[in-house]
Structures are given as C-alpha cells and as structure tokens.
Amino acid sequence: MTVLGAAQSAGIFIPTLCNHEKLKPFGGCRLCMVEAEAGGRTSLVSACKYPVQQDLVVRTRSGQIDNIRKVLTEQLLAFAPDSEVLLELAREYQADKDRFAKEPSFCILCGLCVRYCAEVKQRHGVGFIDRGASREIGFIPEIAATECWDCKECFPLCPTSALQAAFVLVKSLTPSPS
Ligand code: SF4
C-alpha cells in the first residue's frame, strides 16, 4: 500500500490531482508530496508512489510542504485559471492565482483521461500528443468516432474544462461512422 492509499483509508487528506483508485500511480502533479522519516532520515516523497513501511513517520503538512503545494498550484493555475479544484487549493495553501503569466491551455496534463481510457476502458481514445512545452491531450478521431461519443466516463475525472473542450472539438470535426 502507498502512503496516499493508507492516508485515504484513515481519512487523512493529502491533495492530489492525478491519482485515481482504478489507475496505476502516476506521480505527475506532485501535490501529494509529504515528508517521510525512516531510519533517522527525512525525505520528500510522492505519497502516491511511496510504499508504507514499518516505523515510517509521515508528515502531510509542514512549512516546506505547504510552500511546495503553493508554488505548484500557482504554476498549474497559469494553465487552468478557472479550475475550481485549483482555486480551492489556492485558498488552502495561500497561492497567488496571478503569480505566473497565463498560458491557458486548460489542460494540466494530469493524465487522468488518457490513463483511464487506456487502463480501465482499454480503448486509447484519448492520448498525449507532442512532448515538452507542446505536450497536450487529444482524442484520436478514428477511435473516438466509434468508442467515445456514448462513453464519456473520463469527463468527471478532469480537474479542468480541457477534456470537454477537446471532445467537442474532435466531435465537430469527425464524421459519424456509417
Ligand atoms: S484533459 Fe483534463 S483529465 Fe485529461 S490530462 Fe488534461 S487536465 Fe487531465
């Protein structure tokens, strides 16, 4: 079991934007960073990937952790300034929603839609496109035309409006299967 899974089972809140109970840990958003102390050493780890172990001491909040979450939230808000989930995190960690110049792609690349479609639905109807700063998600028109129109199970997973916008776009550009 991971630290995040153990915390969730115990009702202890650790923020995350890329974790889902049906998906493999991704470690993408880094918001679940916690302090883990074992054998006299303390390190910062991603709770969604770090396994629980005997005598492990975990701090889910500290000045350092809160500051990391604050900066991460500020960076993500540059991409998705209207995301309710991010605005809630901004309130919790006193993040300045206008700290970074806006580059509103509306996708924060959490990968939930891509991984859910691949791992749970095994359809690969939506995927990552490009690399680095150009990376974005997109529906694969040939697959979307037969698999996505009536599915939409990924919609509620998206912490921003990016997924629905991409869906509307691909649907408008894709002829219906005959
Ligand atoms: S479209 Fe939404 S769910 Fe998919 S990667 Fe972007 S933010 Fe995450």
Side-chain angles (χ1 to χ4, degrees), residues 106-114 128 137 157-160 162-163:
F106 305 104
C107 178
I108 58 169
L109 301 175
C110 70
L112 282 172
C113 57
V114 175
F128 286 118
I137 66 102
L157 307 182
C158 181
T160 77
L163 186 57

Side-chain angles (χ1 to χ4, degrees), residues 31-155:
L31 282 162
C32 70
M33 199 76 77
V34 294
E35 288 177 8
E37 185 182 331
R41 288 190 54 197
T42 301
S43 40
L44 286 167
V45 300
S46 294
C48 69
K49 290 193 143 182
Y50 201 81
V52 291
Q53 55 187 274
Q54 191 75 30
D55 299 325
L56 180 70
V57 176
V58 175
R59 290 179 200 88
T60 62
R61 289 198 73 157
S62 68
Q64 187 181 21
I65 293 168
D66 283 14
N67 195 48
I68 289 170
R69 291 178 186 160
K70 170 182 180 296
V71 175
L72 288 170
T73 302
E74 290 169 343
Q75 291 171 337
L76 293 174
L77 276 165
F79 296 100
D82 300 324
S83 163
E84 269 309 313
V85 185
L86 289 176
L87 291 170
E88 177 81 40
L89 285 169
R91 285 190 284 275
E92 181 65 28
Y93 295 102
Q94 278 89 53
D96 175 359
K97 64 183 177 57
D98 298 315
R99 178 168 173 195
F100 294 104
K102 300 281 179 282
E103 305 171 29
S105 62
F106 305 104
C107 178
I108 58 169
L109 301 175
C110 70
L112 282 172
C113 57
V114 175
R115 292 179 293 125
Y116 188 88
C117 194
E119 293 178 33
V120 178
K121 303 298 291 182
Q122 302 189 335
R123 291 292 187 266
H124 305 273
V126 57
F128 286 118
I129 301 164
D130 259 331
R131 291 175 177 274
S134 312
R135 199 174 204 208
E136 58 182 10
I137 66 102
F139 284 88
I140 316 303
E142 310 81 61
I143 302 176
T146 56
E147 306 291 345
C148 298
W149 297 172
D150 297 324
C151 175
K152 301 181 193 163
E153 284 180 34
C154 57
F155 274 27

